[in-house]
């Protein structure tokens, strides 16, 4: 469900509509599977964060039991999940995740994206396809260490298959809950299509891998996740170390990245453009801020981010109100436990109802109003409330761990500074911090792409609004806030026009 700013309800074409019910905790059955829906910030914290050891794993058969394999990150559990995740995180760190190197890869893609936008020449367009293509290409750049030209036939074919997989996966996945439907004649529930797409996908993965290995043997292009993963796997095998890293794991990591990293950022950008059309005052204010802080003489940089307080607040408000992963991703409860007096049996599926936090009246007061100012404090600084959970709950937990460690470290430093050399303590403190953060991240499911997604959202929106005004196709009729719920909550297709700002001013 989506609430428009004027309080009108939009509609999701979703199978989940029924479940957007009231109550902090309730259970229901999907087929024969018991699912417990957990709502409210406090309750999600009580479960996903405070009882993380019990609530971190994923359903044993994964989201698509028809594929009969669970590996990679999103669907994996236990030691297998941890090693895949740690390896990928280490590779991202090695290539500058969270630093400017990451932003440079994003910027490289945005330059190509802006050329495509320029070609539109202000004509009414549904920008979903070109935006999605640019966002997927960024993920390819991380996976392979290179981007593709938009005309590249290999890339186009890959994206087509990927789109089909996402579309089939978005259609309710009924065969996961009612296994008998897989045996019905025809393919009404898309089980066969998912299996076929997956084997195409696997073929592409093998191709990707061969290309990387060729590059590797010729000594080029080592800054990519695939090369890093393969090297780790080989090194561990050579040393006779036990490892969960495998070819299958790598294939799943690649598809996890494509699925988790493409639709999410694309959907958020489409919501952003939609809100810009509905709120021209907000858009004008961003234009003014960009003009003042960056001007028109140079392209935006990630280092401009702290200067654009209002734009940051608009992105946060868009993520909050759009709530693109409203029902989170399933977790699994690995031990019987009691929550608020209700017994949750072992292996129950847990649905984290993130929407209940992002749209909570208790937290936001007026959750259905689009009001970016809620993220700016009285002194004009950006606020970062822990209840803003589009990437799930874990950030708050991580922050808490880090804050606790920082406090302990500061106290230790103050005490020890009198007798010992300060640098030694600070160095030790840094190690403790890294270890603590790693432990927290390793034990919980923080969105692995949060830093990348935030860089993308900032750079795409700044580049576009520096040059263009986003206006509706028809000035007398704004596109609706209705949404379609698939893997993410996407706005229903709409067309916009991107008008050059200098032309508008003239
Ligand atoms: C606006 C963009 C994004 C949003 C709102 C978002 C949101 C989420 C959410 C809600 C989860 C579920 C966490 C949980 O299980 O509790 C998640 C997991 C994940 N996301 Fe994102 N995400 C975004 C972008 C990305 C990007 C760009 C990537 C890839 C580079 C990515 C990779 C992942 C992965 C791999 C996981 C699984 C983590 C695990 O299970 O250990 N996400 N994301």
């Amino acid at each position: 469900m989506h609430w428009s700013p004027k309080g009108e309800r939009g509609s999701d074409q979703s199978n989940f509509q029924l479940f957007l019910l009231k109550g902090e905790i309730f259970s229901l059955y999907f087929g024969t599977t018991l699912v417990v829906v957990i709502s409210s910030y406090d309750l999600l914290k009580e479960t996903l964060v405070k009882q993380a050891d019990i609530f971190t794993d994923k359903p044993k058969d994964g989201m698509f039991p028809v594929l009969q394999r669970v590996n990679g990150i999103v669907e994996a559990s236990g030691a297998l999940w941890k090693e895949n995740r740690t390896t990928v995180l280490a590779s991202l760190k090695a290539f500058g995740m969270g630093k400017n190197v990451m932003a440079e890869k994003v910027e490289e893609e945005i330059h190509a994206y802006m050329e495509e936008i320029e070609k539109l020449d202000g004509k009414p367009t549904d920008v979903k396809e070109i935006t999605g293509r640019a966002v997927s290409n960024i993920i390819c750049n991380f996976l392979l260490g290179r981007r593709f030209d938009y005309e590249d036939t290999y890339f186009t074919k890959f994206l087509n298959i990927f789109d089909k997989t996402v579309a089939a996966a978005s259609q309710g996945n009924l065969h996961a809950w009612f296994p008998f439907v897989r045996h019905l004649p025809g393919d009404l529930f898309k089980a066969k299509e998912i299996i076929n797409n997956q084997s195409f996908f696997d073929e592409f993965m093998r191709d990707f891998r061969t290309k990387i290995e060729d590059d590797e043997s010729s000594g080029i292009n080592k800054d990519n996740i695939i090369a890093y993963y393969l090297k780790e796997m080989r090194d561990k095998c050579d040393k006779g170390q036990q490892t969960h890293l495998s070819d299958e794991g790598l294939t799943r990591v690649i598809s996890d990245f494509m699925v988790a990293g493409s639709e999410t950022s694309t959907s958020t950008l489409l919501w952003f453009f939609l809100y810009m059309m509905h709120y021209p005052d907000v858009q004008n204010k961003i234009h003014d801020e960009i003009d003042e802080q960056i001007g028109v003489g140079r392209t935006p940089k990630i280092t401009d981010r702290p200067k654009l307080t209002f734009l940051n607040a608009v992105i946060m408000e868009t993520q909050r109100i759009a709530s693109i992963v409203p029902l989170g991703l399933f977790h699994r409860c690995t031990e019987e436990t009691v929550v608020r007096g209700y017994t949750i049996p072992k292996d129950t599926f847990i649905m984290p109802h993130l929407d209940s936090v992002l749209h909570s009246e208790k937290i936001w007061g007026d959750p259905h109003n689009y009001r970016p100012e809620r993220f700016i404090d009285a002194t004009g600084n950006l606020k970062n409330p822990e209840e803003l959970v589009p990437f799930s709950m874990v950030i708050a937990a991580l922050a808490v761990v880090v804050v606790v460690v920082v406090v302990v470290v500061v106290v230790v430093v103050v005490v020890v500074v009198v007798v010992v050399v300060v640098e030694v303590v600070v160095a030790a403190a840094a190690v403790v911090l890294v270890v603590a953060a790693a432990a927290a991240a390793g034990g919980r499911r923080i969105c692995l792409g949060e830093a990348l997604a935030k860089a993308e959202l900032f750079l795409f929106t700044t580049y576009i609004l520096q040059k263009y005004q986003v206006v509706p196709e028809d000035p007398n009729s704004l596109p609706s806030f209705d949404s379609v719920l698939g893997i993410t909550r996407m706005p229903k297709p709409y067309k916009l026009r991107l008008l050059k700002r200098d032309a508008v001013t003239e």
Side-chain angles (χ1 to χ4, degrees):
M1 259 334 138
H2 182 77
W3 288 87
S4 79
K6 294 175 188 75
E8 302 143 13
R9 239 172 219 263
S11 65
D12 271 330
Q13 292 171 344
S14 120
N15 300 312
F16 293 105
Q17 249 177 13
L18 284 175
F19 308 133
L20 296 178
L21 304 170
K22 292 213 160 63
E24 281 194 315
I25 181 164
F26 60 90
S27 66
L28 47 101
Y29 278 91
F30 281 21
T32 53
T33 306
L34 176 63
V35 176
V36 168
V37 183
I38 301 222
S39 304
S40 94
Y41 181 74
D42 291 344
L43 204 53
L44 281 165
K45 195 163 176 178
E46 216 175 284
T47 49
L48 297 192
V49 178
K50 292 191 182 153
Q51 296 192 64
D53 290 345
I54 300 179
F55 286 99
T56 294
D57 274 4
K58 290 298 176 96
K60 281 183 188 148
D61 294 333
M63 276 195 298
F64 304 111
V66 279
L67 296 177
Q68 297 192 321
R69 54 182 160 166
V70 174
N71 210 319
I73 302 173
V74 178
E75 299 192 73
S77 298
L80 173 73
W81 162 69
K82 211 167 193 168
E83 197 176 347
N84 278 326
R85 186 183 160 106
T86 316
T87 306
V88 171
L89 269 175
S91 70
L92 289 173
K93 226 170 165 187
F95 320 138
M97 177 82 155
K99 294 198 209 125
N100 294 348
V101 184
M102 180 184 72
E104 278 163 22
K105 280 186 192 281
V106 178
E107 280 167 23
E108 185 188 350
E109 189 59 46
I110 296 183
H111 285 293
Y113 176 72
M114 293 303 282
E115 280 171 23
E116 297 295 301
I117 296 285
E118 176 89 35
K119 286 185 207 156
L120 299 178
D121 201 20
K123 292 192 195 76
T125 311
D126 179 348
V127 289
K128 182 178 174 194
E129 197 190 321
I130 45 177
T131 308
R133 208 167 40 185
V135 168
S136 303
N137 221 355
I138 292 170
I139 301 290
C140 283
N141 206 338
F142 277 91
L143 291 170
L144 293 158
R146 55 161 287 203
R147 64 175 297 278
F148 292 94
D149 285 338
Y150 293 143
E151 291 74 33
D152 188 298
T153 44
Y154 181 84
F155 182 56
T156 311
K157 197 168 171 198
F158 173 71
L159 288 186
N160 283 343
I161 290 168
F162 170 67
D163 280 351
K164 276 192 197 159
T165 309
V166 169
S170 304
Q171 290 180 5
N173 203 15
L174 266 189
H175 37 82
W177 316 112
F178 302 98
F180 69 89
V181 305
R182 295 174 212 169
H183 308 294
L184 295 177
D187 196 22
L188 189 59
F189 301 102
K190 308 281 180 199
K192 295 183 183 89
E193 192 172 323
I194 287 183
I195 295 170
N196 288 341
N197 288 345
Q198 190 60 40
S199 39
F200 271 120
F201 209 46
D202 288 353
E203 218 172 278
F204 275 96
M205 295 310 143
R206 277 193 291 275
D207 250 21
F208 265 153
R209 190 190 156 147
T210 315
K211 278 182 200 296
I212 292 287
E213 279 171 337
D214 289 349
D215 279 357
E216 258 201 318
S217 57
S218 47
I220 52 165
N221 200 12
K222 289 195 179 119
D223 62 339
N224 60 74
I225 294 174
I226 300 180
Y228 191 98
Y229 189 104
L230 287 171
K231 184 172 177 311
E232 279 290 298
M233 193 164 89
R234 269 197 305 261
D235 284 356
K236 286 187 175 171
C237 289
D238 290 350
K239 288 182 197 152
Q241 284 175 4
Q242 282 258 327
T243 179
H244 294 280
L245 304 184
S246 65
D247 287 350
E248 176 66 22
L250 178 57
T251 306
R252 301 303 303 168
V253 162
I254 296 168
S255 69
D256 281 353
F257 256 63
M258 289 302 295
V259 174
S262 297
E263 233 202 54
T264 43
S265 300
T266 307
S267 169
T268 311
L269 287 167
L270 295 177
W271 282 113
F272 179 90
F273 295 144
L274 189 57
Y275 278 97
M276 289 307 96
M277 287 187 275
H278 278 260
Y279 290 85
D281 292 354
V282 170
Q283 189 177 170
N284 289 341
K285 216 168 151 182
I286 302 175
H287 283 148
D288 292 345
E289 187 175 59
I290 294 177
D291 291 349
E292 202 175 297
Q293 300 295 339
I294 303 177
V296 287
R298 66 168 176 89
T299 52
K301 294 262 157 268
I302 196 74
T303 44
D304 293 317
R305 189 154 52 167
K307 292 184 244 161
L308 301 187
T309 310
F310 187 66
L311 173 60
N312 280 303
V314 175
I315 293 172
M316 289 159 90
E317 178 67 343
T318 306
Q319 286 204 275
R320 186 196 65 75
I321 203 161
S323 175
I324 63 154
V325 195
L327 303 169
L329 297 182
F330 277 124
H331 287 218
R332 177 170 56 94
C333 169
T334 46
E335 270 175 37
E336 182 177 298
T337 185
V338 177
V339 174
R340 299 272 164 101
Y342 296 101
T343 302
I344 304 185
K346 182 174 183 300
D347 288 335
T348 299
F349 283 26
I350 305 298
M351 187 183 266
H353 189 186
L354 299 181
D355 211 52
S356 69
V357 183
L358 295 170
H359 290 175
S360 157
E361 254 169 47
K362 197 171 132 203
I363 296 169
W364 309 104
D366 58 346
H368 308 305
N369 292 337
Y370 186 68
R371 202 168 53 77
E373 290 78 9
R374 71 174 84 243
F375 292 107
I376 298 177
D377 69 18
T379 55
N381 292 320
L382 200 64
K383 290 198 270 182
N384 202 353
E386 61 181 38
E387 292 87 353
L388 182 66
V389 291
F391 299 99
S392 192
M393 291 294 293
V394 211
I395 303 138
L398 192 62
V400 168
V401 173
V402 173
V403 167
V404 168
V405 175
V406 168
V407 170
V408 171
V409 164
V410 167
V411 170
V412 171
V413 169
V414 168
V415 173
V416 179
V417 78
V418 189
V419 280
V420 201
V421 185
V422 179
E423 284 95 313
V424 175
V425 180
V426 172
V431 173
V432 175
L433 260 178
V434 169
V435 172
R444 301 185 176 99
R445 297 254 172 193
I446 191 168
C447 166
L448 202 143
E450 184 183 349
L452 173 59
K454 285 181 169 170
E456 286 174 341
L457 296 178
F458 174 76
L459 288 167
F460 272 91
T461 53
T462 320
Y463 267 75
I464 287 283
L465 290 187
Q466 183 189 41
K467 285 209 160 157
Y468 295 98
Q469 186 168 12
V470 188
V471 297
E473 177 184 18
D474 172 359
N476 299 316
S477 154
L478 285 163
S480 84
F481 284 104
D482 285 352
S483 59
V484 180
L485 188 62
I487 286 180
T488 66
R489 168 153 52 191
M490 274 272 177
K492 269 196 173 168
Y494 65 81
K495 287 190 178 167
L496 53 69
R497 299 173 69 205
L498 292 168
L499 301 182
K500 282 244 174 82
R501 284 182 61 204
D502 44 6
V504 174
T505 316
E506 278 159 27

